[in-house]
Amino acid sequence: MSDANAPWLVVGLGNPGPEYAANRHNVGFMVADLLAERIGGKFKRAQKAQAQLVEGRIGAPGPSGRRVVLAKPMSYMNLSGGPVMSLRDFYKVPTANIVAIHDELDIDYGALRLKLGGGDNGHNGLKSMTKSMGADYHRVRFGIGRPPGRMQVADFVLKDFSSTERKELAYLVDRTADAVECLVTEGLERAQSTYNS
């Protein structure tokens, strides 16, 4: 069980730079941006780690809200573990209070799955985080589906969402942000029963 007063570290995984901004691999950044907007913050470069940060509270207004640090590592996806570990240590966040928001190939587009721990399923951001601090953190997995035909996975994840996918993307990012808030304020079981699809 996590310490009720410990902050949460919510990490959107993605790649920095405008050329990656709308890629499937950057859906974690998209959700983090929306969460930052909801808590009334703007991402700023952190001195303490290679990341952009927003600090605030999620949940009920005032002191009953949960303290949260939103982060977007600026290290490129496959090196995400270093910045996340620096932030974990600086803010004294228990590993069980870390949430990684990321794209997931083995789930249909738009489906959502939340879990604690597990493997990385070939995802370089998760691989780097697990190598840095073990696997016992939460994952909010945003389904992007498998690449069509013979397209390579690397090409698929670094392409923008299709025009058909974009019709639903804002709604799905919004729902994912809701799921993260539910996880932080009400716990994994409630979040899974409400949002897993």
Side-chain angles (χ1 to χ4, degrees), residues 83-128:
V84 176
M85 193 167 71
S86 299
L87 293 169
R88 178 199 70 177
D89 294 348
F90 181 84
Y91 287 100
K92 300 181 172 50
V93 178
T95 305
N97 278 24
I98 296 173
V99 181
I101 309 163
H102 64 92
D103 56 306
E104 178 63 66
L105 287 159
D106 284 338
I107 301 174
D108 291 340
Y109 175 67
L112 205 54
R113 303 267 169 78
L114 290 84
K115 68 174 191 169
L116 175 62
D120 56 52
N121 206 14
H123 192 288
N124 288 330
L126 296 182
K127 203 176 283 185
S128 177

Side-chain angles (χ1 to χ4, degrees), residues 146-185:
R146 302 293 303 181
R150 296 186 172 175
M151 186 189 285
Q152 293 296 311
V153 164
D155 295 333
F156 179 68
V157 299
L158 293 175
K159 277 202 172 15
D160 291 359
F161 285 100
S162 70
S163 55
T164 310
E165 289 169 336
R166 282 199 297 272
K167 290 187 176 96
E168 284 188 287
L169 186 59
Y171 162 75
L172 295 169
V173 165
D174 193 63
R175 187 169 182 272
T176 308
D178 291 347
V180 172
E181 290 181 348
C182 182
L183 169 62
V184 169
T185 57

Side-chain angles (χ1 to χ4, degrees), residues 3-71:
D3 169 4
N5 298 314
W8 283 73
L9 175 57
V10 175
V11 181
L13 292 178
N15 286 308
E19 69 273 32
Y20 298 107
N23 288 179
R24 292 182 176 94
H25 223 19
N26 269 43
V27 74
F29 275 16
M30 296 172 198
V31 176
D33 286 337
L34 178 58
L35 287 165
E37 209 177 288
R38 287 183 179 185
I39 64 175
K42 284 230 183 303
F43 275 101
K44 294 186 177 64
R45 194 73 196 221
Q47 300 308 311
K48 45 194 127 339
Q50 199 179 354
Q52 289 185 350
L53 293 185
V54 174
E55 293 181 54
R57 288 186 181 274
I58 282 180
S64 58
R66 303 302 304 263
R67 246 180 83 212
V68 69
V69 179
L70 296 174

